[in-house]
Amino acid sequence: MPDAHTLGGMMERIRALLTVIEEGSVNRAAVRLRITQPALSRQMQALENELGGKLLERESSGVKPTGLGHALVKSMRPLVGSYDAALAELRRQARGERSELRVGYLFSAAQSMLTPALAKLRKSQPEVKLKLHDMSPREQLDGLRAGELDLALIGQEGVTAASEFHSTKLCSLHVCVAVADDDPIAAQKNIALKELKGRDFIGVDEDQVPGRNRWATALCKSAGFKPRFAVVVDGISNVLSQVVSESAVTLLPGYFEKLQHPGVTFVPVSDEKARWDFIVLWQKGRASAATRALVDALKQVAVTLR
Amino acid sequence: MPDAHTLGGMMERIRALLTVIEEGSVNRAAVRLRITQPALSRQMQALENELGGKLLERESSGVKPTGLGHALVKSMRPLVGSYDAALAELRRQARGERSELRVGYLFSAAQSMLTPALAKLRKSQPEVKLKLHDMSPREQLDGLRAGELDLALIGQEGVTAASEFHSTKLCSLHVCVAVADDDPIAAQKNIALKELKGRDFIGVDEDQVPGRNRWATALCKSAGFKPRFAVVVDGISNVLSQVVSESAVTLLPGYFEKLQHPGVTFVPVSDEKARWDFIVLWQKGRASAATRALVDALKQVAVTLR
DNA sequence: CGAGGGTATGCGCATCCGGCATAACGGCAA
DNA sequence: TTGCCGTTATGCCGGATGCGCATACCCTCG
């Protein structure tokens, strides 16, 4: 029940009217609401003025709803109930008690880290309701911005957006270059970035993997050349096919070495600066216990994977 | 949009927050809401205090929702929409513009009057959405009291409840007595009430047809005797069967003469006092145009049926 | 550095709204 | 019939709330 000093809006007056109709008496309802009868009487009048019609028939034995009063009860009672439930849930969430955790991630990048972290979370917070969404980095960022995700596991693409959310770097992977099996580079144990000067690069659509091309460009620039993107494809899964068919190269985070792709060889880059960061982003404001627990679990798993 | 002096409750602050998040700026939202930026800033703070958590991250370029702010938008936006729609509909109804009309009636009693009245209504108010409910007198009264009906066509049973609603008497029917075909009374053109002294009467369950037995009792008392109810049945449709099987009698409104029932004859009662009133009840408070139109139409039809 | 955009906060004033006291009405019992 | 009790409505007053104005502080950009 709101205290006397928050009874200022229509919703509060509507709530009071529901009580009056239930009691059939302004006086008894006032006792229930812990205000005086005259104050409540005036609230009822104010509500009638605001709606433009009588809601109550006044009699010496109490009050009875008019047709309009009945209609208000019918339409507003469920609404008030939903509103109260929503407020209660928001207050719970504000206290960090949100039990739902919506996680966005890219499977190929995150599964080796996410799976053990979720196991830890399941142990420490068994009541958490997880919603896992396999999505591209772009979708992850959009989901966070729209408030549809609580947390995202994202790579280098998330670095530019990190200031919009809370963020923590989990680990930094080395970089490898993908080449066709019959490429001379495929026989090397590793490669320096400058050896890629003059080669055709395959880029990724900015819309799907924001910042990937800029990252590759920055690395090559630090090695003294500017990469030429012969083709820009619309998804990571198409990059490796184009590497083969175009006799081109592309820079990828080291986790790709674990993926088998016919006709493609991954060669580690030896440059110290060639790193790919893996970070976790979560919403600003107070984080729920579930969110904090998952972030902690991810940090622990990241340490073991180094 | 409420004016500046009614922004007192949480709902109004929530509404303001939706605007702030939409604009991404307290300042621009304040312009939209036609209040000053400091007032709106304080409302946001008050709302955060009431919910117990930050809803907005403040930056020099404006504001961004926190996770809690996103959650509020998601849960409250539809609620605010429903609330506004409900208020708008209530205001329309208050102005007499309700386009729905829920009518309760007992078919056998009311159809001869209701059908022509509805034809008149259809002509004068073609946009009215009618909801017709064939129900017992008890159900009609309960429906009115619960605000589920706007108007009820009811007989003598509604007379005692008339003070709870607006009411108009439409007509007064003569009374007849129902007897078995082989009863000596069946051969009479009419009958005086006092001739029924000593006969078994069939009564009707008070719960289904409130006041029917009391009405019959009062009529017989005015003729100098008290009726003995041999059987009390649970519905009007069972009365006539019992009249035959029990060689009993019952008093009924004159409209029953139009109904064919095997083995039963209806004989008019000659006593002047033997009348059965037919009335229309509708909700207190301002009646919609549709309700008034139907009441008028019923009055006109009642005149022609006399 | 200054200008312009943003949000937060002190202060004063107007309005709102509650409590207290009282008026008016209807119903019921003696 | 009168008096009592229950009801709702309304006048008056004071405290609470919330707004506008002025100002402080921060950030970004030319």
Side-chain angles (χ1 to χ4, degrees):
Chain A
M1 211 63 225
D3 67 47
H5 297 296
T6 60
L7 289 174
M10 274 193 66
M11 176 66 91
E12 285 77 21
R13 289 174 187 169
I14 286 165
R15 198 191 299 273
L17 178 71
L18 295 180
T19 304
V20 167
I21 288 174
E22 196 177 307
E23 289 284 341
S25 153
V26 172
N27 202 39
R28 289 200 298 276
V31 170
R32 253 179 72 181
L33 297 169
R34 291 191 291 271
I35 59 174
T36 61
Q37 172 269 323
L40 187 54
S41 181
R42 288 197 183 91
Q43 284 190 25
M44 296 303 97
Q45 287 175 14
L47 188 54
E48 286 174 326
N49 289 338
E50 280 153 16
L51 282 179
K54 285 188 69 172
L55 297 160
L56 299 170
E57 286 292 335
R58 276 82 165 171
E59 302 168 350
S60 58
S61 54
V63 293
K64 283 194 165 58
T66 61
L68 189 61
H70 280 300
L72 185 148
V73 170
K74 187 173 175 183
S75 58
M76 288 293 176
R77 185 177 274 146
L79 265 183
V80 170
S82 301
Y83 173 72
D84 288 344
L87 279 185
E89 176 59 29
L90 286 167
R91 288 197 174 101
R92 272 197 291 276
Q93 184 172 345
R95 291 198 297 271
E97 294 173 9
R98 186 176 174 90
S99 59
E100 189 182 60
L101 186 52
R102 302 160 302 171
V103 180
Y105 65 103
L106 183 62
F107 184 77
S108 53
Q111 58 92 19
S112 63
M113 189 170 292
L114 187 59
T115 304
L118 291 179
K120 281 177 177 294
L121 183 70
R122 185 59 56 204
K123 267 181 142 178
S124 68
Q125 309 253 6
E127 72 289 343
V128 170
K129 200 180 340 170
L130 276 172
K131 289 198 171 181
L132 304 178
H133 303 276
D134 186 1
M135 46 178 50
S136 72
R138 165 60 68 189
E139 285 166 335
Q140 288 177 53
L141 291 175
D142 288 348
L144 281 171
R145 289 188 181 113
E148 288 163 2
L149 291 180
D150 298 303
L151 181 147
L153 285 188
I154 194 164
Q156 201 67 26
E157 309 84 16
V159 171
T160 56
S163 66
E164 298 179 52
F165 310 100
H166 289 310
S167 68
T168 285
K169 191 170 92 170
L170 294 175
C171 59
S172 188
L173 304 187
H174 73 274
V175 177
C176 59
V177 58
V179 295
D181 285 345
D182 58 7
D183 197 290
I185 294 174
Q188 294 181 219
K189 283 278 173 55
N190 54 46
I191 186 168
L193 276 175
K194 66 181 179 255
E195 293 181 52
L196 298 176
K197 187 177 180 184
R199 296 297 302 263
D200 283 343
F201 278 71
I202 306 293
V204 192
D205 181 12
E206 171 73 16
D207 206 42
Q208 294 260 346
V209 189
R212 173 60 63 84
N213 296 347
R214 286 199 300 274
W215 164 77
T217 300
L219 283 186
C220 297
K221 276 199 166 169
S222 69
F225 70 101
K226 183 177 173 184
R228 185 182 66 241
F229 294 105
V231 184
V232 175
V233 297
D234 66 351
I236 282 275
S237 48
N238 297 332
V239 171
L240 301 182
S241 308
Q242 294 290 321
V243 161
V244 175
S245 61
E246 299 287 324
S247 299
V249 300
T250 198
L251 296 181
L252 293 169
Y255 70 79
F256 272 86
E257 293 172 352
K258 295 181 195 137
L259 308 180
Q260 302 277 5
H261 197 280
V264 174
T265 299
F266 301 105
V267 182
V269 175
S270 57
D271 306 56
E272 278 289 334
K273 288 188 178 178
R275 305 303 288 182
W276 193 83
D277 293 335
F278 199 55
I279 65 176
V280 55
L281 303 177
W282 66 97
Q283 294 284 359
K284 290 212 167 180
R286 186 177 183 190
S288 68
T291 301
R292 293 196 303 270
L294 183 55
V295 172
D296 289 344
L298 286 165
K299 284 181 186 171
Q300 292 170 32
V301 170
V303 167
T304 64
L305 293 185
R306 279 174 190 158
Chain B
M1 213 62 231
D3 68 49
H5 296 298
T6 59
L7 290 176
M10 274 194 66
M11 178 65 92
E12 285 77 22
R13 288 172 188 171
I14 286 166
R15 199 192 300 273
L17 178 72
L18 295 180
T19 303
V20 167
I21 287 175
E22 195 176 307
E23 288 284 342
S25 153
V26 171
N27 204 37
R28 287 199 300 278
V31 170
R32 252 178 76 182
L33 298 169
R34 290 190 292 269
I35 59 175
T36 62
Q37 172 269 321
L40 187 53
S41 180
R42 288 198 183 92
Q43 283 191 26
M44 297 302 98
Q45 289 176 11
L47 188 53
E48 285 172 326
N49 289 340
E50 279 152 17
L51 283 180
K54 285 189 71 173
L55 297 160
L56 300 170
E57 287 292 332
R58 276 81 164 172
E59 303 170 348
S60 58
S61 54
V63 293
K64 282 194 167 61
T66 60
L68 188 62
H70 280 301
L72 184 148
V73 170
K74 187 172 176 183
S75 60
M76 287 294 176
R77 187 175 274 146
L79 265 182
V80 171
S82 302
Y83 174 72
D84 287 342
L87 278 185
E89 174 59 28
L90 286 167
R91 288 196 174 99
R92 271 196 291 276
Q93 184 173 345
R95 291 197 298 270
E97 294 172 10
R98 184 174 172 92
S99 58
E100 189 183 60
L101 187 52
R102 302 160 300 172
V103 181
Y105 65 102
L106 184 61
F107 183 78
S108 53
Q111 59 92 21
S112 63
M113 189 171 295
L114 187 59
T115 303
L118 290 179
K120 281 179 178 291
L121 183 70
R122 184 60 57 206
K123 266 184 148 177
S124 67
Q125 307 256 4
E127 73 290 340
V128 171
K129 200 183 335 170
L130 276 173
K131 289 199 172 180
L132 305 177
H133 302 274
D134 185 2
M135 48 179 48
S136 73
R138 165 60 69 189
E139 285 168 334
Q140 290 176 54
L141 292 175
D142 289 348
L144 281 172
R145 289 187 181 117
E148 288 163 6
L149 291 181
D150 296 304
L151 181 148
L153 286 187
I154 194 164
Q156 201 66 25
E157 309 84 15
V159 171
T160 57
S163 66
E164 299 180 51
F165 310 101
H166 290 309
S167 67
T168 286
K169 189 169 92 170
L170 293 175
C171 60
S172 189
L173 302 188
H174 72 273
V175 177
C176 60
V177 60
V179 295
D181 284 346
D182 56 9
D183 196 291
I185 294 173
Q188 295 179 225
K189 282 279 168 60
N190 53 47
I191 185 169
L193 277 174
K194 64 182 181 251
E195 294 181 54
L196 298 176
K197 185 178 179 183
R199 297 298 303 264
D200 285 343
F201 278 71
I202 306 295
V204 192
D205 182 13
E206 171 73 18
D207 206 42
Q208 293 260 343
V209 190
R212 173 60 64 84
N213 297 344
R214 285 200 299 277
W215 164 76
T217 300
L219 282 187
C220 296
K221 277 200 167 168
S222 69
F225 69 101
K226 184 179 175 185
R228 184 181 67 243
F229 294 106
V231 184
V232 175
V233 298
D234 65 354
I236 283 277
S237 47
N238 297 333
V239 172
L240 300 181
S241 309
Q242 295 291 322
V243 161
V244 174
S245 62
E246 299 287 324
S247 299
V249 301
T250 198
L251 296 181
L252 292 169
Y255 70 78
F256 272 86
E257 293 171 355
K258 295 178 194 142
L259 306 180
Q260 303 277 3
H261 196 278
V264 175
T265 300
F266 301 106
V267 181
V269 175
S270 56
D271 305 55
E272 278 290 334
K273 288 189 178 176
R275 305 304 289 183
W276 193 83
D277 293 334
F278 198 56
I279 66 177
V280 56
L281 302 178
W282 69 96
Q283 295 284 358
K284 289 210 169 183
R286 187 177 186 192
S288 67
T291 301
R292 293 196 302 271
L294 181 57
V295 171
D296 289 344
L298 286 165
K299 285 182 187 171
Q300 290 169 34
V301 170
V303 168
T304 63
L305 292 187
R306 279 174 190 156

